[in-house]
Amino acid sequence: MTILSPLPVDPHAPAAILPDLEAAIAGQACFLPLPLADATRATLLRNTQRAGEPIDPDIALVMSTSGSTGTPKGAQLTPANLVASADATHKVLGGTGQWLLAMPAHHIAGIQVLVRSLVAGVDPLCIDLSEGFDIPTFARAAAELDHTGDRTYTALTPLQLAKAMDSVEGIDALRTFDAILVGGAAINPRLRAAAADLGIAVVATYGSSETAGGCVYDGRPIPGAQVRVQDGRILLGGPTIAHGYRNAPEHKAFREPGWFATSDGGFIDAGTLTVTGRLDNVIDSGGLKLHPEALETEILKVKGVDHACVVGVPHPRLGQAIMAAYTGWADIGDILEALEDAELPRWQIPKDIKRLAEFPTAGPGKIDRRAVARIFGA
């Protein structure tokens, strides 16, 4: 009988879970990664995913979703899911290499850095994230890998990429990598362009716990992965798709065998996927519907805007009023002028705009939209 065992991940020493992870990939055990530094979250996951109880012996890991819209779900990943993802990633990037773990290892993006290292037969280099993402520490680790002479890779969130690009030390470190996978949220187009100009090899990834991590790189599915859009909704298929949810076995997202119906809208043009935004984030203002990500893209074009978040808050007449928050040095007047110049419909102009020192987050690199809405009194 296989039991789902809790696997606390220490941010001081994430590599400590490598033996357990290797056993899981070999089909010898099943684990639920837990954030050791967040006791409340760990307890929630233990309870909702029934840690300590029997589980299908084909499952290697139960990876929790961010839970930003409610109770976290547990994606059930097999050894084949994890290895297929790692192998496909190495094919896209040009071969195996040395990996630097700079993300929490209890999230799928961090776990996959460790899995790719195990599959490649190399020891990953892991940095201590207990005090957050520290650029000098990241730079020292990047230099250490660079001296190996092998291909080197890492994975970051857009927020981490932006922070590293704020200093010469960070830029020099980023340049040493043969590829940097960036996912978890959309990348500011200006940041992406600046990275390219500086010789930083960014690969934008799209995926989730349900797909064993990113399965679409720069809009194209990785080897073996499949993408289609049905009624405006993105569906992902292939060998990396999880075997349903641990705590929601009949969930409609896995209704079609071998496919995962995401909560994202998008379209495919000339074989390239464009993600327009989460379908459950759509704002209904006076009967008119807006994907907040579309307006965020316009705001991000403004010089001096680093990150942006658009939310809808309850309004007695409109149903939802459009509000926007951003970080950076741009003035609110600059943003309003840019939106006017973009000739957006008047109803899409935010009713209020706030500049924040930083955004609240839910999961690695993901802006917590509900927390932002609360800033506006929602």
Side-chain angles (χ1 to χ4, degrees):
M1 178 185 297
T2 301
I3 300 297
L4 176 59
S5 301
L7 182 62
V9 181
D10 186 348
H12 293 285
I17 70 169
L18 281 170
D20 290 323
L21 191 56
E22 189 170 20
I25 294 173
Q28 300 169 350
C30 179
F31 294 102
L32 172 67
L34 301 172
L36 185 63
D38 188 344
T40 300
R41 173 77 175 180
T43 299
L44 175 64
L45 293 178
R46 286 174 185 266
N47 293 338
T48 58
Q49 308 308 323
R50 306 195 314 279
E53 297 183 22
I55 191 170
D56 185 331
D58 291 335
I59 305 303
L61 296 176
V62 174
M63 297 301 305
S64 66
T65 60
S66 64
S68 59
T69 57
T71 301
K73 296 181 286 293
Q76 301 184 119
L77 299 174
T78 66
N81 292 149
L82 297 165
V83 174
S85 177
D87 285 342
T89 292
H90 287 140
K91 287 180 182 178
V92 172
L93 299 185
T96 58
Q98 301 280 338
W99 283 88
L100 171 62
L101 176 65
M103 302 182 72
H106 60 276
H107 290 291
I108 188 61
I111 280 285
Q112 277 294 30
V113 168
L114 300 181
V115 170
R116 295 175 196 127
S117 297
L118 289 172
V119 169
V122 298
D123 292 328
L125 183 58
C126 306
I127 62 176
D128 186 339
L129 295 171
S130 58
E131 300 298 327
F133 181 57
D134 178 69
I135 299 305
T137 301
F138 174 74
R140 286 193 296 271
E144 183 177 340
L145 283 189
D146 193 38
H147 289 153
T148 65
D150 295 330
R151 295 182 65 82
T152 61
Y153 308 118
T154 192
L156 302 174
T157 67
L159 292 176
Q160 288 176 310
L161 177 65
K163 183 176 181 180
M165 288 178 60
D166 273 345
S167 68
V168 172
E169 183 180 29
I171 291 171
D172 287 343
L174 294 170
R175 282 172 161 166
T176 67
F177 292 96
D178 290 278
I180 301 170
L181 305 183
V182 180
I187 307 175
N188 184 325
R190 291 188 301 104
L191 184 70
R192 179 75 188 266
D197 289 343
L198 291 168
I200 299 169
V202 168
V203 178
T205 71
Y206 172 68
S208 61
S209 297
E210 293 90 343
T211 61
C215 62
V216 178
Y217 287 5
D218 286 334
R220 299 276 180 163
I222 61 177
Q226 297 173 279
V227 182
R228 76 175 199 264
V229 176
Q230 183 174 313
D231 298 325
R233 183 185 298 272
I234 298 170
L235 285 84
L236 303 172
T240 69
I241 302 301
H243 288 215
Y245 292 123
R246 165 73 165 171
N247 56 333
E250 303 301 323
H251 199 282
K252 62 182 180 181
F254 292 98
R255 183 174 298 159
E256 183 178 356
W259 288 84
F260 169 62
T262 75
S263 297
D264 297 317
F267 61 90
I268 298 173
D269 182 26
T272 299
L273 174 69
T274 295
V275 181
T276 55
R278 285 185 64 88
L279 297 173
D280 51 11
N281 285 340
V282 171
I283 299 170
D284 187 333
S285 186
L288 300 171
K289 292 180 169 55
L290 170 72
H291 276 286
E293 292 87 352
L295 183 53
E296 288 164 6
T297 297
E298 293 299 325
I299 296 173
L300 288 170
K301 293 177 182 178
V302 179
K303 187 175 182 180
V305 173
D306 296 328
H307 306 285
C309 179
V310 173
V311 296
V313 302
H315 188 276
R317 180 171 57 85
L318 298 173
Q320 287 181 297
I322 298 170
M323 308 290 187
Y326 72 99
T327 60
W329 52 263
D331 291 329
I332 292 175
D334 295 333
I335 295 174
L336 288 172
E337 183 178 349
L339 295 181
E340 292 281 357
D341 291 344
E343 299 183 351
L344 296 177
R346 290 294 304 173
W347 67 272
Q348 292 186 10
I349 303 299
K351 303 301 181 187
D352 191 12
I353 301 176
K354 293 184 183 295
R355 178 166 55 187
L356 306 180
E358 62 181 6
F359 275 112
T361 58
K366 294 183 179 179
I367 295 175
D368 188 336
R369 292 183 180 273
R370 291 194 298 174
V372 172
R374 288 194 292 271
I375 293 173
F376 290 97

